[in-house]
Amino acid sequence: MLTTRRQALKTLAASTVATSIGSFPLLTQAAPASATPPAASAPTGPFTLPPLPYAYDALEPHIDTETMHLHHDKHHAAYVAKLNEALAKEPSFVVPPGSNVDNLVKNLASVPESIRTAVRNQGGGHANHSLFWQTLSPKGGEPKGDFAKALDGSFGGLDKFKEAAAKAGGGLFGSGWVWLVLDGGKQLTLLTLPNQDSPLTEGHYPLFGIDVWEHAYYLKYHNVRADYIKAIWNVVNWDFISDRYAKAMKA
Ligand code: MN3
């Protein structure tokens, strides 16, 4: 039963990725009815916490089980709950159930000013973490196809990219993310953004982000962010990121 629901949500996640590329009608994407979790304990929407696409201990020893529980069940859940709370304060701004949070943060300027900062922070947190879980996997792997070629062209290969990302992550003061994005011209670009700012709000399409908030690593790596960044490469889902790149370039 759990597996079935997980698969349904994975399918939803995949279709969400596909529909979030290109020109989007604002906030009109409805989720397939079959993918809506019916649980009585589900938060009152419009947004809900997606389940992890793998077990909490799947990324051990690189990302520990307790961190995954806290990060997903507490931190990500809080972004979702606070996003819903913020939206409830502006009932005239209607967000249909099943809406794509990517559309919301991409079109942040259309959000009423009274809740725009909350949506930037909490909606960004929801969007960023929803992508983050999908870009990790116990299988690891290597970049492939056109994405691997683009990585070579833009950074001089995977190892050089890792170096650049580690440097960017080490240099980011305070909380934020290191992002590999497609810029408006569909060029691979590395950038850092503070807090939970989404690349989508800045006009970029995120392929992969490293969460360098302390909550992502402090239990296991304490203050040594560099060791966490070094370890995360063991569990990056390059297949997913390569596919995401290919779909975005076709859109
Ligand atoms: Mn986080």
Side-chain angles (χ1 to χ4, degrees), residues 5 8-13 31-38 48:
R5 201 164 116 199
L9 283 155
K10 270 166 90 173
T11 309
L12 171 64
S34 61
T36 306
T48 52

Side-chain angles (χ1 to χ4, degrees), residues 62-84:
H62 311 292
I63 301 182
D64 60 288
T65 307
E66 192 183 1
T67 293
M68 291 301 287
H69 271 289
L70 290 169
H71 200 172
H72 176 271
D73 303 356
K74 304 296 181 188
H75 290 279
H76 188 172
Y79 294 124
V80 175
K82 287 177 184 170
L83 173 61
N84 288 333

